[in-house]
Amino acid sequence: MWPRFGIKIGNSTLCIAHIRADGKVEVIANKQGDRVSQACLLWDGANEIECGLTAKQKMATRPRQAVAHSFQLLQPKEQLTEEQLTNAIREIPCEFDQEEFVFRMEHTQPSEREDQDDKVVTKEMGAYEVTIELLKAELELAHQYHTDSEHAPIAVISIPSYYTSETIRLLSDAAKTAGFHVAQIIAEPTAAVLGYKIGEEPLNGTQRQHVLAIKCGGLYSHFSLYAVQHGYYVELATFGPYPIGGRQFTEALVQFICEEFKRKYKLDPHESRRSLAKIRTAAANCKHILTTLPSTQLYIDSLMDGVDYNVQMSRARFESLIQPVINQFIQQLGECVDRAQQEHPEDLKRIDDIVLLGATMQIPKLQAAVAARFPDAKLHNSHSADEVVAIGCARQAVCLLDPVEQQLQKADDCVLVEDDLYIWHGNDKSNAKLVLGKGSVLPAKIRLSLPQSGEGDANNSMAPFMLRTGESEILARLPDTTPTEDGLFKLEVEVDWNDKDGHIAPLVRLRCM
C-alpha cells in the first residue's frame, strides 16, 4: 500500500511526489537531478523515444521529431473550438494533422549513395499515446521507492479544473496503461490548497476561510475561489483558461534579444526558424534562473550565420520587459475576483489565503504584484509553485482508505449546515453563542460555556435554553440544570441532521456536563 504517489501533469512540465506511511511527502528528482520534468518527447527516427530534458534540448535542432505542449489536445476534437485548436497547434514543434488528430513526426535518413534521395520516415502519435509515454517516464521515477512487482503504484493525479469529464477518463486510462493504479483524479487548484493543509485545523472555532488559487502555467492561467471549513472545500467560482502564461513572459525576452541582435549585427533572427528556437530555449532558461538569482549570463552559441550572442541579463531589466504582461495578468485576475464577489456577496466578502501554482508564478515580480493587489490575504509560497500540486495529490492519497478496491469519485457526499446555529439561556439574546456556522460539516459535537440569563431569570436556572437556526427558534428545557459558581452552564451540544422535504433540518441534543 505504501508509498503512494501524487502526479501533476501539464502542457509544459510533470512532477511526481511520494508519501510514506509516516506522512512525509517528498518530490522525486529525475536523472538530471531536476524535481520537475519537461513534458517533451523526441523520436530518434527508429524505435527509441526520449522524454524530458534531453528531448527538450534536442528539440531546438530537431523540431520535426519532437512533441511538446500535447496535454491541451488530450480531449475529443469536437470539444475544442477552432480558436483553441489554432492556438494549440501554434505551440507544437512538429506537424499536426487536424483531420486525423495526431502528431506527425518526420526524420530524414541520409542516403548511402549520392545518386539517391534522402529517405523521410514518419511516426504518428495521438495526445493519448504521448501522455502514456510521459507517464511511463514518471513510473521509472516511482520505482525508486515502489519495489512491489505484483501491484501497480497507487497514485492521485491532478487535472486543470476546466477540463471535461471525457479528458479525466482519458487521463485515467493513460495512467493505467503506463502502469499506475489511479485512485483518484482531482483538480489542480484543490491539490494546491491540500498541499498547504489549509482548513484542516479549526480556525477560531467555526470561522470560514476563503482561498484564492492562482495558476499561471506555461501557456494558460486560471483562477479558482474556495470556501474552506473543517477540512471541507466548497468551490465558489472558477475562471479561465486565459492565454496568459509563461510563453508570454518568455516571448517578451525573446523580442528583446532579437532586437538587440539585429541592432548590433544587422542580422534578423526572425528570418530563421532555427535561430528563433535557440533564442526561445535560452530565454526560457534565463527566465527560470532569474526567479532565484539577481542576474545571469545569457549566451547563445552560433545564433545566426556563425555569430554568437552574449549579454549580462539582470532581474531588474527582465522585470521591466515583462511588466506589460504582469499588468495584463493582474487586471484579468482583479476582474475575475470582483465578478465572483458580486455573484457571492454573502459568502465571499474577503480573501483570507492565496495559493500559487504553476511555474510562472515563481517570478518574484509577479508574486509581489499579487501581494500588492490583495494586501490583507496570506500569500502561501513556501512550496515551489511547480511542485505544490504534486505534493497536494500525494497528501490526498493518504485519505484513501482502500484505493485498490474502489476508486473515489471527484467529490463524496457531505452534509453541511444550511444556516448559522445559535444558543442562549432564557430571554437574554445578547449572550447568544454560535454553535455551528453555515457550511459546517454534520454530524458534530461541540462543548461550550453559556452565561446564565440575567434579566427576569437571574435566580431561575430552570429557565429554558433557546436555539435559533435561520428563522426558526427552538425551546429546550434540561432537568437538573445548575450553573457553576461563576454563572456559566457547561454544555455539550450534539448536532445531527434529518433530510426533510429536501432541506437539511438540524437535530440538536443538549447535555449539561
Side-chain angles (χ1 to χ4, degrees), residues 24-40:
K24 186 176 181 180
V25 183
E26 291 179 350
V27 177
I28 305 174
N30 57 27
K31 296 176 182 178
Q32 291 79 26
D34 298 324
R35 293 157 62 92
V36 176
S37 301
Q38 300 300 316
C40 298

Side-chain angles (χ1 to χ4, degrees), residues 227-247:
V228 182
Q229 189 172 9
H230 300 303
Y232 188 78
Y233 301 173
V234 179
E235 186 182 88
L236 298 177
T238 182
F239 301 95
Y242 300 105
I244 307 174
R247 189 60 179 262

Side-chain angles (χ1 to χ4, degrees), residues 331-347:
Q331 181 182 352
Q332 185 70 70
L333 172 62
E335 290 174 359
C336 292
V337 172
D338 291 343
R339 198 188 324 161
Q341 289 177 330
Q342 290 174 5
E343 293 173 357
H344 303 274
E346 297 298 326
D347 295 330

Side-chain angles (χ1 to χ4, degrees), residues 65-299:
Q65 295 173 230
V67 176
H69 305 302
S70 62
F71 192 59
Q72 57 191 323
L73 294 170
L74 186 67
Q75 48 189 314
K77 180 180 178 181
E78 57 273 11
Q79 293 182 358
L80 286 169
T81 65
E82 188 173 340
E83 182 182 1
Q84 287 174 325
L85 187 57
T86 302
N87 291 336
I89 294 173
R90 189 183 300 132
E91 306 296 336
I92 299 168
C94 67
E95 295 294 326
F96 185 79
D97 189 326
Q98 296 189 47
E99 294 298 325
E100 299 294 329
F101 219 63
V102 293
F103 303 96
R104 182 172 290 113
M105 293 171 280
E106 296 180 355
H107 173 67
T108 303
Q109 294 179 344
S111 175
E112 296 179 358
R113 296 171 52 180
E114 293 183 1
D115 59 342
Q116 290 182 344
D117 296 332
D118 294 342
K119 183 180 179 181
V120 178
V121 292
T122 62
K123 182 178 181 63
E124 295 181 351
M125 295 180 73
Y128 179 77
E129 288 77 23
V130 173
T131 303
I132 292 173
E133 293 296 330
L134 294 174
L135 288 171
K136 281 182 179 179
E138 298 303 291
L139 182 67
E140 290 183 18
L141 301 181
H143 280 319
Q144 298 177 39
Y145 301 90
H146 183 270
T147 57
D148 187 349
S149 59
E150 296 183 4
H151 300 96
I154 295 169
V156 173
I157 304 178
S158 71
I159 195 167
S161 55
Y162 53 86
Y163 274 40
T164 63
S165 57
E166 179 64 19
T167 304
I168 294 174
R169 185 190 64 78
L170 288 171
L171 178 58
S172 176
D173 291 346
K176 290 175 185 175
T177 305
F180 287 99
H181 175 85
V182 182
Q184 194 175 13
I185 293 180
I186 61 177
E188 285 181 344
T190 307
V193 178
L194 279 166
Y196 284 106
K197 305 181 183 180
I198 296 175
E200 293 186 12
E201 296 180 2
L203 180 66
N204 296 334
T206 57
Q207 185 177 341
R208 266 189 174 195
Q209 289 171 267
H210 296 97
V211 184
L212 170 62
I214 305 174
K215 179 184 178 182
C216 189
L219 298 178
Y220 300 105
S221 56
H222 65 273
F223 319 114
S224 298
L225 283 151
Y226 291 88
V228 182
Q229 189 172 9
H230 300 303
Y232 188 78
Y233 301 173
V234 179
E235 186 182 88
L236 298 177
T238 182
F239 301 95
Y242 300 105
I244 307 174
R247 189 60 179 262
Q248 283 68 34
F249 290 90
T250 303
E251 201 62 29
L253 185 54
V254 167
Q255 294 307 315
F256 168 79
I257 295 171
C258 289
E259 291 170 7
E260 283 287 296
F261 190 80
K262 184 178 180 180
R263 180 183 60 80
K264 191 172 182 179
Y265 299 104
K266 308 302 186 232
L267 295 171
D268 188 359
H270 290 100
E271 297 175 358
S272 170
R273 181 175 177 177
R274 186 170 182 173
S275 296
L276 277 176
K278 282 188 172 185
I279 292 174
R280 286 198 174 97
T281 301
N285 292 336
C286 178
K287 178 184 69 176
H288 290 305
I289 292 171
L290 290 176
T291 61
T292 55
L293 297 177
S295 66
T296 184
Q297 198 71 22
L298 202 161
Y299 176 76

